[in-house]
């Protein structure tokens, strides 16, 4: 495990240019992963329209090690990218899910403080990303008739969150090296 306080201390001393470059790098990785995930054919046993949300790895990393503002910024940029590539409805769903997810992860970090783990954070983020999108869809169609699908999304969110946390744990050493470099 990495000394989070060392990374946070270093983060407070990051030059603005380096922070901007890191966020640009993270956003480009979000775009690539989001686009690749969208291009994949439907995965057997996944609920219709469900994705793992691997681009959220960068949002989570930003939230944990860089800052809340930067995590929200990445969620907004991802939503705008989806809007440009896939249209208004998909962009609205991405933006609502992303913002709701980051908001809930912020609450989890505040409530659990040092007891929160990547898995807990990721699972809550994935579940509430799905709930945020569900709320957006309900708003679009003007009905909560799809409520029956919500348990499926919550169960899938648990598995997606665990998978995303596993990938985040695997790539964190590279991220920390990038962040701690002078």
């Amino acid at each position: 495990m990495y000394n989070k306080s060392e990374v946070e201390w270093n983060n407070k001393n990051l030059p603005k240019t380096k922070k901007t470059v890191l966020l640009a790098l993270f956003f480009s990785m979000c775009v690539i992963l989001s686009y690749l995930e969208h291009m994949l054919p439907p995965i057997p046993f996944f609920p219709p329209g469900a994705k793992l949300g691997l681009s959220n790895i960068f949002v989570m990393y930003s939230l944990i090690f860089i800052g809340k503002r930067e995590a929200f910024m990445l969620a907004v940029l991802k939503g705008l990218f989806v809007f440009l590539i896939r249209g208004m409805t998909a962009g609205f769903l991405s933006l609502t899910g992303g913002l709701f997810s980051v908001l809930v992860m912020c609450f989890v970090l505040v409530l659990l403080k040092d007891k929160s783990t990547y898995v807990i954070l990721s699972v809550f983020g994935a579940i509430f990303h799905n709930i945020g999108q569900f709320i957006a869809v309900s708003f679009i169609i003007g009905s909560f008739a799809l409520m029956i699908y919500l348990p499926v999304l919550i169960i899938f969110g648990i598995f997606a969150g665990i998978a995303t946390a596993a990938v985040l744990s695997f790539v964190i050493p590279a991220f920390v090296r990038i962040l701690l470099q002078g």
Side-chain angles (χ1 to χ4, degrees):
M1 190 69 173
Y2 293 94
N3 184 346
K4 186 176 174 188
S5 62
E6 180 183 346
V7 176
E8 287 172 343
W9 178 86
N10 198 313
N11 170 48
K12 292 177 184 167
N13 297 312
L14 275 178
K16 191 173 183 176
T17 305
K18 184 171 184 176
K19 191 181 278 192
T20 303
V21 169
L22 275 173
L23 288 174
L25 173 69
F26 289 173
F27 175 61
S28 65
M29 293 306 296
C30 285
V31 165
I32 291 167
L33 287 174
S34 177
Y35 185 74
L36 288 175
E37 214 170 19
H38 176 69
M39 297 305 295
L40 289 174
I43 300 172
F45 308 110
F46 274 30
K51 305 286 183 200
L52 282 176
L54 294 176
S55 65
N56 293 324
I57 293 166
F58 297 95
V59 176
M60 280 180 43
Y61 183 86
S62 296
L63 177 63
I64 295 166
F65 293 108
I66 298 177
K68 292 176 180 83
R69 189 182 77 146
E70 290 78 9
F72 277 109
M73 191 181 317
L74 279 178
V76 168
L77 289 172
K78 279 177 45 180
L80 292 174
F81 169 75
V82 172
F83 171 76
L84 290 172
I85 299 302
R86 297 193 316 228
M88 188 167 67
T89 302
F92 181 61
L93 294 176
S94 175
L95 183 63
T96 356
L99 290 176
F100 207 55
S101 172
V102 173
L103 182 65
V104 169
M105 288 191 292
C106 287
F107 283 130
V108 169
L109 282 175
V110 169
L111 291 175
L112 296 181
K113 296 185 172 85
D114 293 332
K115 295 177 184 140
S116 109
T117 65
Y118 301 139
V119 172
I120 290 171
L121 199 63
S122 183
V123 166
F124 272 95
I127 288 171
F128 282 92
H129 192 282
N130 289 341
I131 290 172
Q133 288 186 329
F134 176 82
I135 291 169
V137 165
S138 298
F139 176 75
I140 291 169
I141 66 170
S143 167
F144 282 92
L146 295 176
M147 185 70 84
I148 195 160
Y149 195 55
L150 190 57
V152 173
L153 292 178
I154 290 172
I155 292 168
F156 182 78
I158 293 169
F159 292 110
I162 291 169
T164 302
V167 174
L168 177 64
S169 295
F170 180 74
V171 296
I172 264 187
F175 289 166
V176 170
R177 276 194 305 275
I178 288 170
L179 190 60
L180 290 177
Q181 288 177 349

